[in-house]
Amino acid sequence: AGSQRDFGLYQINARCPVGEGTVGVDDFIEELSQLYKMGTTILKDGYEVHIDGATAAQGITDGNWYMIPFTISWSCEMTIN
């Protein structure tokens, strides 16, 4: 048996219509920040996913939407039989 390590980024775009306020999006970003703290480890079916970092970018307006990109940096240790 051996192991393999992979790395990646996962981005979530939290959005709301322009003009409706940003409280819901801001609250959602705060929840994501708590769930995906650096150092968190998730174990499932032989995979070990490590959260290496997570950041929210500055909010931007995209057409009729206000958006905050939230990016999670991760690495995964996988057992290979």
Coordinates of all heavy atoms in Angstrom, one line a residue:
A1 N 0.8 -1.2 0.0 CA 0.0 0.0 0.0 C 0.9 1.2 0.0 O 1.9 1.3 0.6 CB -0.9 0.0 1.2
G2 N 0.4 2.3 -0.7 CA 1.2 3.5 -0.8 C 0.2 4.7 -0.6 O -0.9 4.5 -0.2
S3 N 0.7 5.8 -0.9 CA -0.2 7.0 -0.8 C 0.1 8.0 -1.9 O 1.2 8.0 -2.5 CB 0.0 7.7 0.6 OG 1.3 8.2 0.7
Q4 N -0.9 8.8 -2.2 CA -0.7 9.9 -3.2 C -1.2 11.2 -2.6 O -2.2 11.2 -1.8 CB -1.6 9.5 -4.4 CG -1.6 10.5 -5.5 CD -2.5 10.1 -6.7 OE1 -2.6 8.9 -6.9 NE2 -3.0 11.1 -7.4
R5 N -0.6 12.3 -2.9 CA -1.0 13.6 -2.4 C -1.4 14.5 -3.6 O -0.6 14.6 -4.5 CB 0.1 14.2 -1.6 CG -0.3 15.4 -0.8 CD 0.8 15.8 0.2 NE 0.5 16.9 1.0 CZ -0.2 16.9 2.1 NH1 -0.6 15.8 2.6 NH2 -0.4 18.0 2.8
D6 N -2.6 15.1 -3.5 CA -3.0 16.0 -4.5 C -3.3 17.4 -3.9 O -3.6 17.4 -2.7 CB -4.3 15.5 -5.2 CG -4.1 14.3 -6.0 OD1 -3.1 14.2 -6.7 OD2 -4.9 13.3 -6.0
F7 N -3.3 18.4 -4.7 CA -3.5 19.8 -4.2 C -4.5 20.5 -5.1 O -4.7 20.1 -6.3 CB -2.2 20.6 -4.3 CG -1.1 20.0 -3.5 CD1 -0.3 19.1 -4.1 CD2 -0.9 20.4 -2.2 CE1 0.8 18.5 -3.3 CE2 0.1 19.9 -1.4 CZ 1.0 18.9 -2.0
G8 N -5.3 21.4 -4.6 CA -6.2 22.1 -5.5 C -6.8 23.3 -4.8 O -6.5 23.7 -3.6
L9 N -7.7 24.0 -5.6 CA -8.4 25.2 -5.1 C -9.9 24.9 -5.4 O -10.2 24.3 -6.4 CB -8.0 26.4 -5.8 CG -6.6 26.9 -5.7 CD1 -6.3 28.1 -6.6 CD2 -6.3 27.3 -4.2
Y10 N -10.7 25.4 -4.5 CA -12.2 25.3 -4.7 C -12.7 26.7 -4.5 O -12.5 27.3 -3.4 CB -12.8 24.3 -3.8 CG -14.2 24.0 -4.0 CD1 -14.7 23.2 -5.1 CD2 -15.2 24.6 -3.2 CE1 -16.0 23.0 -5.3 CE2 -16.6 24.3 -3.4 CZ -16.9 23.5 -4.5 OH -18.3 23.3 -4.7
Q11 N -13.5 27.2 -5.4 CA -14.0 28.5 -5.3 C -15.6 28.5 -5.2 O -16.2 27.8 -6.0 CB -13.6 29.5 -6.4 CG -14.1 30.9 -6.2 CD -13.5 31.8 -7.2 OE1 -12.3 31.8 -7.4 NE2 -14.4 32.6 -7.9
I12 N -16.1 29.3 -4.2 CA -17.5 29.5 -4.1 C -17.8 30.9 -4.3 O -17.2 31.8 -3.7 CB -18.0 29.0 -2.7 CG1 -17.7 27.6 -2.4 CG2 -19.5 29.3 -2.5 CD1 -17.8 27.1 -1.0
N13 N -18.7 31.3 -5.2 CA -19.1 32.6 -5.4 C -20.4 32.9 -4.7 O -21.5 32.4 -5.1 CB -19.2 32.9 -6.9 CG -17.9 32.8 -7.7 OD1 -16.9 33.1 -7.1 ND2 -18.0 32.4 -8.9
A14 N -20.4 33.7 -3.6 CA -21.6 34.0 -2.9 C -22.1 35.3 -3.6 O -21.4 36.3 -3.7 CB -21.2 34.3 -1.4
R15 N -23.4 35.2 -4.0 CA -24.0 36.3 -4.7 C -25.4 36.7 -4.2 O -26.1 35.9 -3.6 CB -24.2 35.9 -6.2 CG -23.0 35.4 -6.9 CD -23.2 35.0 -8.3 NE -24.5 34.5 -8.7 CZ -25.0 34.6 -9.9 NH1 -24.4 35.2 -10.8 NH2 -26.2 34.1 -10.1
C16 N -25.7 38.0 -4.5 CA -27.0 38.5 -4.2 C -27.3 39.6 -5.2 O -26.4 40.2 -5.8 CB -27.1 39.0 -2.7 SG -26.2 40.5 -2.4
P17 N -28.6 39.9 -5.5 CA -28.9 40.9 -6.4 C -28.5 42.3 -5.9 O -28.5 42.6 -4.7 CB -30.5 40.9 -6.5 CG -30.9 39.5 -6.0 CD -29.8 39.1 -5.0
V18 N -28.0 43.1 -6.8 CA -27.5 44.5 -6.5 C -28.8 45.2 -5.9 O -29.9 45.1 -6.4 CB -26.9 45.2 -7.7 CG1 -26.8 46.7 -7.5 CG2 -25.6 44.5 -8.1
G19 N -28.5 46.0 -4.9 CA -29.6 46.8 -4.3 C -30.4 46.2 -3.2 O -31.3 46.8 -2.6
E20 N -30.1 44.9 -2.9 CA -30.9 44.2 -1.9 C -30.0 44.1 -0.6 O -30.4 43.4 0.4 CB -31.3 42.8 -2.3 CG -32.4 42.9 -3.4 CD -33.0 41.5 -3.6 OE1 -32.8 40.6 -2.9 OE2 -33.8 41.5 -4.6
G21 N -28.9 44.7 -0.5 CA -28.1 44.7 0.7 C -27.2 43.4 0.6 O -27.5 42.5 0.0
T22 N -26.1 43.5 1.4 CA -25.1 42.4 1.4 C -25.1 41.6 2.6 O -24.2 40.7 2.8 CB -23.7 43.0 1.1 OG1 -23.3 43.8 2.2 CG2 -23.7 43.8 -0.2
V23 N -26.0 41.8 3.6 CA -25.9 41.1 4.8 C -25.9 39.6 4.7 O -25.2 38.9 5.3 CB -27.1 41.6 5.8 CG1 -27.1 40.7 7.0 CG2 -26.9 43.1 6.1
G24 N -26.8 39.1 3.8 CA -26.9 37.6 3.6 C -25.6 37.1 3.1 O -25.2 36.0 3.5
V25 N -25.0 37.7 2.1 CA -23.8 37.3 1.5 C -22.6 37.4 2.5 O -21.8 36.4 2.7 CB -23.4 38.1 0.2 CG1 -22.0 37.8 -0.3 CG2 -24.4 37.8 -0.8
D26 N -22.6 38.5 3.3 CA -21.6 38.6 4.3 C -21.7 37.5 5.4 O -20.7 37.0 5.8 CB -21.7 40.0 5.0 CG -21.3 41.1 4.0 OD1 -20.6 40.9 3.0 OD2 -21.8 42.2 4.2
D27 N -22.9 37.2 5.8 CA -23.1 36.2 6.8 C -22.7 34.8 6.2 O -22.1 34.0 7.0 CB -24.6 36.1 7.2 CG -25.0 37.3 8.1 OD1 -24.1 38.1 8.6 OD2 -26.2 37.5 8.3
F28 N -23.0 34.5 5.0 CA -22.6 33.3 4.4 C -21.1 33.1 4.3 O -20.6 32.1 4.6 CB -23.3 33.2 3.0 CG -23.0 31.9 2.3 CD1 -23.4 30.7 2.8 CD2 -22.3 31.9 1.0 CE1 -23.1 29.5 2.1 CE2 -22.0 30.7 0.4 CZ -22.4 29.5 0.9
I29 N -20.4 34.2 3.9 CA -19.0 34.2 3.9 C -18.4 33.9 5.3 O -17.4 33.1 5.4 CB -18.4 35.5 3.3 CG1 -18.8 35.6 1.8 CG2 -16.9 35.6 3.5 CD1 -18.1 34.5 0.9
E30 N -19.0 34.5 6.3 CA -18.5 34.2 7.7 C -18.7 32.8 8.0 O -17.8 32.2 8.7 CB -19.3 35.2 8.6 CG -18.8 35.0 10.1 CD -17.3 35.2 10.3 OE1 -16.7 36.1 9.6 OE2 -16.8 34.5 11.2
E31 N -19.8 32.2 7.7 CA -20.1 30.8 7.9 C -19.0 29.9 7.2 O -18.5 28.9 7.8 CB -21.5 30.4 7.5 CG -22.6 30.9 8.4 CD -24.0 30.5 7.9 OE1 -24.1 29.4 7.4 OE2 -24.9 31.3 8.0
L32 N -18.8 30.2 6.0 CA -17.7 29.5 5.2 C -16.4 29.6 5.9 O -15.6 28.6 6.0 CB -17.6 30.0 3.8 CG -18.8 29.6 2.8 CD1 -18.6 30.3 1.5 CD2 -19.0 28.1 2.7
S33 N -16.1 30.8 6.4 CA -14.8 31.0 7.0 C -14.6 30.1 8.3 O -13.5 29.7 8.6 CB -14.6 32.5 7.4 OG -14.6 33.3 6.3
Q34 N -15.7 29.9 9.0 CA -15.7 29.1 10.2 C -15.6 27.6 9.8 O -14.9 26.8 10.5 CB -17.0 29.3 11.0 CG -17.0 30.7 11.6 CD -15.8 31.1 12.5 OE1 -15.4 30.3 13.3 NE2 -15.2 32.2 12.3
L35 N -16.3 27.2 8.8 CA -16.3 25.8 8.4 C -14.9 25.3 7.8 O -14.5 24.2 8.0 CB -17.4 25.5 7.3 CG -18.8 25.5 7.8 CD1 -19.8 25.5 6.6 CD2 -19.0 24.3 8.7
Y36 N -14.3 26.2 7.0 CA -13.1 25.9 6.3 C -11.8 26.6 6.8 O -11.1 27.3 6.1 CB -13.3 26.1 4.8 CG -14.3 25.3 4.2 CD1 -15.6 25.8 4.0 CD2 -14.1 23.9 3.9 CE1 -16.6 25.0 3.5 CE2 -15.1 23.1 3.4 CZ -16.3 23.6 3.2 OH -17.3 22.8 2.7
K37 N -11.6 26.5 8.1 CA -10.5 27.1 8.8 C -9.2 26.4 8.4 O -9.2 25.1 8.2 CB -10.6 27.1 10.3 CG -11.6 28.0 10.8 CD -11.6 27.9 12.4 CE -12.7 28.8 12.9 NZ -12.7 28.8 14.4
M38 N -8.1 27.1 8.3 CA -6.8 26.5 8.0 C -6.5 25.5 9.1 O -6.7 25.7 10.3 CB -5.7 27.5 7.9 CG -4.4 26.9 7.5 SD -3.1 28.1 7.1 CE -3.0 29.1 8.6
G39 N -6.1 24.3 8.7 CA -5.7 23.2 9.6 C -6.8 22.2 9.8 O -6.6 21.2 10.4
T40 N -8.0 22.5 9.3 CA -9.1 21.6 9.4 C -8.8 20.3 8.5 O -8.3 20.4 7.4 CB -10.4 22.2 8.9 OG1 -10.7 23.3 9.7 CG2 -11.6 21.2 8.9
T41 N -9.1 19.1 9.0 CA -9.0 17.9 8.3 C -10.3 17.2 8.2 O -11.0 17.1 9.1 CB -8.0 17.0 9.0 OG1 -6.7 17.6 9.1 CG2 -7.8 15.7 8.3
I42 N -10.6 16.7 7.0 CA -11.9 16.0 6.7 C -11.5 14.6 6.2 O -10.7 14.4 5.3 CB -12.7 16.7 5.6 CG1 -13.0 18.2 6.0 CG2 -13.9 16.0 5.3 CD1 -13.4 19.1 4.9
L43 N -12.0 13.6 6.9 CA -11.7 12.2 6.6 C -13.0 11.6 6.0 O -14.1 11.7 6.6 CB -11.3 11.4 7.9 CG -10.1 12.0 8.6 CD1 -10.0 11.2 9.9 CD2 -8.9 11.8 7.8
K44 N -12.8 10.9 4.9 CA -14.0 10.2 4.3 C -13.5 9.2 3.3 O -12.7 9.5 2.4 CB -14.9 11.2 3.6 CG -16.1 10.7 2.8 CD -17.1 10.3 3.8 CE -18.4 9.9 3.1 NZ -19.3 9.1 3.8
D45 N -13.9 7.9 3.4 CA -13.7 6.8 2.5 C -12.2 6.7 2.1 O -11.9 6.5 0.9 CB -14.5 7.0 1.2 CG -16.0 6.9 1.5 OD1 -16.4 6.2 2.5 OD2 -16.8 7.6 0.8
G46 N -11.3 6.8 3.0 CA -9.9 6.6 2.7 C -9.2 7.9 2.3 O -8.0 7.9 2.0
Y47 N -9.9 9.0 2.2 CA -9.3 10.3 1.8 C -9.1 11.1 3.0 O -10.0 11.1 3.9 CB -10.2 11.0 0.8 CG -10.4 10.3 -0.5 CD1 -11.5 9.4 -0.7 CD2 -9.5 10.6 -1.6 CE1 -11.6 8.8 -2.0 CE2 -9.7 9.9 -2.8 CZ -10.7 9.0 -3.0 OH -10.9 8.4 -4.2
E48 N -8.1 11.8 3.0 CA -7.8 12.8 4.1 C -7.5 14.1 3.5 O -6.5 14.4 2.9 CB -6.5 12.3 4.9 CG -6.2 13.1 6.1 CD -5.1 12.4 6.9 OE1 -5.2 11.3 7.3 OE2 -4.1 13.2 7.1
V49 N -8.5 15.0 3.6 CA -8.5 16.4 3.0 C -8.1 17.4 4.0 O -8.7 17.5 5.1 CB -9.8 16.7 2.3 CG1 -9.7 18.1 1.7 CG2 -10.2 15.7 1.2
H50 N -7.0 18.1 3.7 CA -6.5 19.2 4.7 C -6.9 20.5 4.1 O -6.6 20.8 2.9 CB -5.0 19.1 4.8 CG -4.6 17.7 5.3 ND1 -4.6 17.4 6.6 CD2 -4.1 16.7 4.6 CE1 -4.2 16.1 6.8 NE2 -3.9 15.7 5.6
I51 N -7.4 21.4 4.9 CA -7.7 22.8 4.5 C -6.4 23.6 4.8 O -6.0 23.7 5.9 CB -8.9 23.4 5.2 CG1 -10.2 22.5 5.0 CG2 -9.1 24.8 4.7 CD1 -10.6 22.3 3.6
D52 N -5.8 24.0 3.7 CA -4.5 24.7 3.8 C -4.7 26.2 3.9 O -3.8 26.9 4.3 CB -3.6 24.4 2.6 CG -3.3 22.9 2.5 OD1 -3.2 22.2 3.6 OD2 -3.3 22.4 1.4
G53 N -5.9 26.7 3.6 CA -6.2 28.1 3.7 C -7.5 28.4 3.1 O -8.0 27.6 2.2
A54 N -8.1 29.5 3.4 CA -9.4 30.0 2.8 C -9.4 31.5 2.9 O -9.2 32.0 4.0 CB -10.5 29.3 3.5
T55 N -9.8 32.1 1.8 CA -9.8 33.6 1.8 C -11.1 34.1 1.0 O -11.5 33.5 0.0 CB -8.6 34.2 1.1 OG1 -8.4 33.6 -0.2 CG2 -7.3 33.9 1.9
A56 N -11.6 35.2 1.4 CA -12.6 35.9 0.7 C -12.0 37.1 0.0 O -11.2 37.8 0.6 CB -13.7 36.4 1.7
A57 N -12.3 37.2 -1.3 CA -11.8 38.4 -2.0 C -12.7 39.5 -1.8 O -13.8 39.4 -1.2 CB -11.8 38.0 -3.5
Q58 N -12.3 40.7 -2.2 CA -13.2 41.9 -2.1 C -14.4 41.7 -2.9 O -14.3 41.1 -4.0 CB -12.4 43.1 -2.5 CG -13.2 44.4 -2.3 CD -12.4 45.6 -2.4 OE1 -11.2 45.6 -2.3 NE2 -13.0 46.7 -2.6
G59 N -15.6 42.1 -2.5 CA -16.8 42.0 -3.2 C -16.7 42.8 -4.5 O -16.1 43.9 -4.6
I60 N -17.4 42.3 -5.5 CA -17.4 43.0 -6.8 C -18.9 43.0 -7.4 O -19.7 42.1 -7.0 CB -16.5 42.3 -7.9 CG1 -16.9 40.8 -8.0 CG2 -15.1 42.4 -7.5 CD1 -16.1 40.1 -9.2
T61 N -19.2 43.9 -8.2 CA -20.5 43.9 -8.9 C -20.3 43.4 -10.3 O -19.4 43.8 -11.0 CB -21.0 45.4 -9.0 OG1 -21.2 45.9 -7.7 CG2 -22.4 45.4 -9.7
D62 N -21.2 42.4 -10.6 CA -21.1 41.7 -11.9 C -22.5 41.8 -12.5 O -23.4 41.0 -12.2 CB -20.7 40.3 -11.8 CG -20.5 39.5 -13.1 OD1 -20.5 40.2 -14.1 OD2 -20.5 38.3 -13.0
G63 N -22.7 42.8 -13.4 CA -24.1 43.0 -13.9 C -25.0 43.4 -12.8 O -24.8 44.4 -12.1
N64 N -26.1 42.6 -12.7 CA -27.1 42.9 -11.6 C -26.8 42.2 -10.3 O -27.7 42.1 -9.5 CB -28.5 42.5 -12.1 CG -28.9 43.4 -13.3 OD1 -28.6 44.5 -13.3 ND2 -29.7 42.8 -14.2
W65 N -25.6 41.6 -10.2 CA -25.3 40.8 -9.0 C -24.1 41.4 -8.3 O -23.1 41.9 -8.9 CB -24.9 39.4 -9.4 CG -26.1 38.6 -10.0 CD1 -26.4 38.5 -11.3 CD2 -27.1 37.9 -9.3 NE1 -27.5 37.8 -11.5 CE2 -28.0 37.4 -10.2 CE3 -27.3 37.7 -7.9 CZ2 -29.1 36.7 -9.9 CZ3 -28.4 37.0 -7.6 CH2 -29.3 36.5 -8.5
Y66 N -24.1 41.3 -6.9 CA -23.0 41.6 -6.1 C -22.4 40.2 -5.7 O -23.2 39.3 -5.3 CB -23.4 42.4 -4.8 CG -22.3 42.6 -3.8 CD1 -21.3 43.5 -4.1 CD2 -22.3 41.8 -2.7 CE1 -20.3 43.7 -3.1 CE2 -21.3 42.0 -1.7 CZ -20.3 43.0 -2.0 OH -19.3 43.1 -1.1
M67 N -21.1 40.1 -5.8 CA -20.5 38.8 -5.6 C -19.2 38.9 -4.7 O -18.4 39.8 -4.9 CB -20.2 38.1 -6.9 CG -19.4 36.8 -6.8 SD -19.1 36.1 -8.4 CE -17.9 37.2 -9.1
I68 N -19.0 37.9 -3.8 CA -17.8 37.8 -3.1 C -17.2 36.4 -3.3 O -17.9 35.4 -3.0 CB -18.0 37.9 -1.5 CG1 -18.6 39.3 -1.2 CG2 -16.7 37.7 -0.8 CD1 -18.9 39.5 0.3
P69 N -16.1 36.3 -4.1 CA -15.5 35.0 -4.3 C -14.8 34.5 -3.0 O -14.1 35.3 -2.4 CB -14.5 35.3 -5.4 CG -14.8 36.6 -6.0 CD -15.5 37.4 -4.8
F70 N -15.0 33.2 -2.7 CA -14.4 32.6 -1.5 C -13.6 31.4 -2.0 O -14.2 30.5 -2.6 CB -15.5 32.2 -0.5 CG -14.9 31.6 0.8 CD1 -14.5 32.5 1.8 CD2 -14.8 30.3 1.0 CE1 -14.1 32.0 3.0 CE2 -14.3 29.8 2.2 CZ -13.9 30.6 3.2
T71 N -12.3 31.4 -1.8 CA -11.4 30.4 -2.3 C -10.8 29.5 -1.2 O -10.3 30.1 -0.2 CB -10.3 31.0 -3.2 OG1 -10.9 31.8 -4.2 CG2 -9.5 29.9 -3.8
I72 N -10.9 28.2 -1.3 CA -10.4 27.3 -0.4 C -9.2 26.5 -1.0 O -9.3 26.0 -2.1 CB -11.5 26.2 0.0 CG1 -12.7 26.9 0.6 CG2 -10.9 25.2 1.0 CD1 -13.9 26.1 0.6
S73 N -8.1 26.6 -0.3 CA -6.9 25.9 -0.8 C -6.8 24.5 0.0 O -7.0 24.6 1.2 CB -5.7 26.7 -0.5 OG -4.5 26.0 -0.7
W74 N -6.7 23.4 -0.7 CA -6.7 22.1 0.0 C -5.7 21.2 -0.5 O -5.1 21.4 -1.6 CB -8.1 21.5 -0.2 CG -8.5 21.2 -1.7 CD1 -9.2 22.1 -2.5 CD2 -8.1 20.1 -2.5 NE1 -9.3 21.6 -3.7 CE2 -8.6 20.3 -3.8 CE3 -7.4 18.9 -2.2 CZ2 -8.5 19.4 -4.8 CZ3 -7.3 18.0 -3.3 CH2 -7.8 18.3 -4.6
S75 N -5.4 20.2 0.3 CA -4.5 19.1 -0.2 C -5.1 17.8 0.3 O -5.9 17.8 1.3 CB -3.1 19.3 0.4 OG -3.1 19.3 1.8
C76 N -4.9 16.7 -0.4 CA -5.5 15.4 0.0 C -4.5 14.3 0.0 O -3.7 14.2 -0.9 CB -6.6 15.1 -1.1 SG -7.4 13.5 -0.8
E77 N -4.5 13.6 1.1 CA -3.7 12.4 1.2 C -4.6 11.2 1.0 O -5.6 11.0 1.7 CB -3.1 12.4 2.6 CG -2.0 11.3 2.8 CD -0.7 11.7 2.1 OE1 -0.4 12.9 2.0 OE2 0.0 10.8 1.7
M78 N -4.2 10.4 0.0 CA -5.1 9.3 -0.4 C -4.3 8.0 -0.3 O -3.1 7.9 -0.8 CB -5.5 9.5 -1.8 CG -6.4 8.5 -2.4 SD -7.0 9.0 -4.1 CE -5.6 9.7 -4.9
T79 N -4.8 7.0 0.4 CA -4.2 5.7 0.5 C -4.5 4.9 -0.8 O -5.6 4.8 -1.3 CB -4.7 4.9 1.7 OG1 -4.5 5.7 2.9 CG2 -4.1 3.6 1.8
I80 N -3.4 4.3 -1.4 CA -3.5 3.5 -2.6 C -3.2 2.1 -2.2 O -2.1 1.8 -1.7 CB -2.6 4.0 -3.7 CG1 -3.0 5.5 -4.0 CG2 -2.7 3.1 -4.9 CD1 -2.0 6.1 -5.0
N81 N -4.0 1.1 -2.5 CA -3.8 -0.3 -2.2 C -3.1 -1.0 -3.4 O -3.2 -0.7 -4.5 CB -5.1 -1.0 -1.9 CG -5.7 -0.5 -0.7 OD1 -5.0 -0.2 0.3 ND2 -7.0 -0.4 -0.6

